[in-house]
Amino acid sequence: MDHIAPSCDEIEELARETVANLPAAFRDAAQSVAIRVADFAPDEVLEEMEMEPFDLTGLYDGVPLTEKSNWDQPTGPDTVWLFRRPILDEWAERGNVTIADLVHHVTIHEFAHHFGWSDDDIAAIDQWWH
């Protein structure tokens, strides 16, 4: 898979493998988060974040577990978004990582927002985080 650009479905499969391999303490909670893959973030998201289309590889859409309350009325499932074209662009620019490693890294980073992890927490799970 590291010579051919993966499809959205293949990137989603890599992200789901990442979740399946999280430490047991996080795995169940992570499996309740939707994973979605699109070529790019929607224009309104990019405008709101003041970002260019190729600058955003992933996004967490939801309320972090550290901020949830029993009083919250969910408006939809917490979702981790992965954006295929920016991920592929970074993969091509780097040239020294596998697509699986890059998707793993982006997925962990977005789930870090869901769990409210510190940089040390992320580094314990994702060796790229230093």
Side-chain angles (χ1 to χ4, degrees):
M1 185 184 303
D2 276 328
H3 301 292
I4 299 172
S7 67
C8 288
D9 288 343
E10 289 167 322
I11 288 177
E12 182 178 337
E13 183 179 326
L14 291 169
R16 291 190 186 286
E17 288 172 12
T18 299
V19 170
N21 289 310
L22 285 172
F26 301 108
R27 194 174 311 125
D28 286 344
Q31 290 176 341
S32 69
V33 175
I35 296 174
R36 300 288 182 259
V37 180
D39 277 327
F40 290 102
D43 289 340
E44 60 271 8
V45 169
L46 294 169
E47 288 171 14
E48 180 180 323
M49 296 180 77
E50 298 180 359
M51 296 182 81
E52 296 297 318
F54 279 96
D55 293 340
L56 188 61
T57 56
L59 179 70
Y60 171 67
D61 182 16
V63 177
L65 291 178
T66 54
E67 297 176 19
K68 285 193 189 273
S69 162
N70 289 337
W71 299 103
D72 288 337
Q73 293 297 316
T75 57
D78 290 345
T79 304
V80 164
W81 285 92
L82 302 176
F83 303 115
R84 177 180 173 270
R85 295 286 307 279
I87 289 171
L88 294 178
D89 196 53
E90 182 175 337
W91 173 55
E93 282 180 16
R94 286 178 177 268
N96 64 348
V97 298
T98 66
I99 191 67
D101 285 345
L102 184 55
V103 170
H104 170 82
H105 172 70
V106 174
T107 302
I108 292 295
H109 179 85
E110 297 313 325
F111 272 94
H113 294 295
H114 173 67
F115 288 114
W117 289 342
S118 68
D119 286 351
D120 289 339
D121 295 332
I122 298 169
I125 293 172
D126 182 4
Q127 300 308 309
W128 274 24
W129 197 267
H130 296 287

